[in-house]
Amino acid sequence: MRGKIDWQNYRSIVVLTGAGISAGSGLPTFRGPGGLWSDAKILEFGTVDALRERPFEVWRFFAPLREKLKSVQPNPGHLALATLEADLQPEQGFTLITQNVDGLHQRAGSKNVIEYHGGIYRTRCSNRSCFFEPFEDFDAHLEEPQVCPFCGDPLRFDIVLFGELIPMDAQRLAKQAIRKCDLFLAVGTSGTVFPAADFVVTARSHGAHTILINLEEGQSNVTSFNEVYFGPAETLLPELLAGKTD
Ligand SMILES: [Zn+2]
């Protein structure tokens, strides 16, 4: 079977993924209906001010998501993107920008991944000038506050909180990739809010073909995309990106 997206004909592909791609793995979205947290709780605990004032409460607030990662697996949507990257010719560029903090793309085998909002499976020091390197950790450590072995400040999850900037490297690399891509795919995101809404405009203004794959038409930014597909990413992506054999 040949997929519906002729990815063989593009020289540089950028994929942006949002919470919708991990929903098929049974991972609840951060917020919204059925989400892990209400908007009110997110605004109470998910901020840089809360982290400064009560770091262990913020830790305990996000810990269930890290805990949940132990029992979830990448789904066929994640795997289809990893296969796509592996099947490209050496001269074809590929960048996967994800807003998800779950690390499921890397576990599926994706290589060139930009984590726009960090990764909850990493821990780092809350002191920005500390030299302690972020490290991978899948334990929730709920029993006692974790402190930095170098400076003694509280440790924190390596995710972007409200009031914090997107990491500079992630911003720069994403911008570069979007400006030179000729195919832009947004998956599992409505395309109406930052960063997807900006990315699609930039990609189009640089001549890229743009495709949206999202669960529902409602709320989706249909007008900014050349093609739109509605349905679960874990079903649609394997069909749309199906491989070389006819
Ligand atoms: Zn430190």
Side-chain angles (χ1 to χ4, degrees):
M1 183 185 94
R2 184 178 281 279
K4 292 177 184 146
I5 296 174
D6 55 346
W7 48 264
Q8 292 91 341
N9 296 329
Y10 294 94
R11 58 179 165 68
S12 186
I13 300 172
V14 170
V15 183
L16 170 73
T17 63
I21 194 166
S22 291
S25 291
L27 207 56
T29 50
F30 250 52
R31 52 205 296 196
L36 267 182
W37 303 294
S38 68
D39 280 10
K41 289 283 182 197
I42 272 274
L43 291 173
E44 185 182 350
F45 292 102
T47 68
V48 68
D49 289 339
L51 179 71
R52 189 172 50 240
E53 289 155 16
R54 36 197 179 140
F56 194 44
E57 282 182 57
V58 172
W59 179 283
R60 280 185 301 196
F61 176 71
F62 284 107
L65 182 55
R66 180 182 276 187
E67 194 67 29
K68 185 93 186 158
L69 291 185
K70 292 178 183 169
S71 60
V72 300
Q73 298 296 330
N75 66 56
H78 298 106
L79 295 168
L81 290 175
T83 303
L84 168 66
E85 183 177 7
D87 283 351
L88 292 174
Q89 298 300 317
E91 64 273 19
Q92 289 181 287
F94 180 86
T95 305
L96 176 49
I97 306 165
T98 187
Q99 296 168 259
N100 301 336
V101 297
D102 53 40
L104 288 176
H105 285 301
Q106 292 93 328
R107 280 168 62 187
S110 287
K111 302 280 185 253
N112 193 22
V113 180
I114 298 173
E115 289 182 320
Y116 218 62
H117 293 151
I120 200 156
Y121 57 93
R122 280 190 310 271
T123 298
R124 69 174 167 89
C125 183
S126 57
N127 174 358
R128 290 204 167 272
S129 45
C130 178
F131 293 106
F132 189 49
E133 291 283 329
F135 61 96
E136 210 168 270
D137 185 8
F138 286 89
D139 200 325
H141 302 289
L142 285 168
E143 52 301 330
E144 56 178 342
Q146 303 289 299
V147 293
C148 174
F150 279 22
C151 72
D153 277 8
L155 293 181
R156 57 169 290 184
F157 295 127
D158 190 15
I159 57 175
V160 176
L161 301 173
F162 288 101
E164 290 185 312
L165 295 172
I166 307 296
M168 289 304 289
D169 274 0
Q171 285 195 52
R172 182 176 53 80
L173 293 170
K175 200 177 282 182
Q176 277 174 5
I178 289 160
R179 282 181 179 162
K180 68 176 190 191
C181 77
D182 54 359
L183 176 61
F184 175 76
L185 247 66
V187 182
T189 166
S190 67
T192 55
V193 292
F194 177 83
D198 292 5
F199 286 177
V200 66
V201 169
T202 305
R204 279 192 81 154
S205 71
H206 286 78
H209 186 69
T210 57
I211 300 177
L212 175 68
I213 298 165
N214 197 29
L215 188 58
E216 289 172 347
E217 183 165 0
Q219 303 291 315
S220 289
N221 178 10
V222 173
T223 51
S224 292
F225 291 87
N226 299 119
E227 287 179 65
V228 290
Y229 299 93
F230 297 114
E234 66 273 20
T235 313
L236 280 178
L237 274 178
E239 286 174 13
L240 295 170
L241 296 173
K244 300 165 180 170
T245 49
D246 277 298

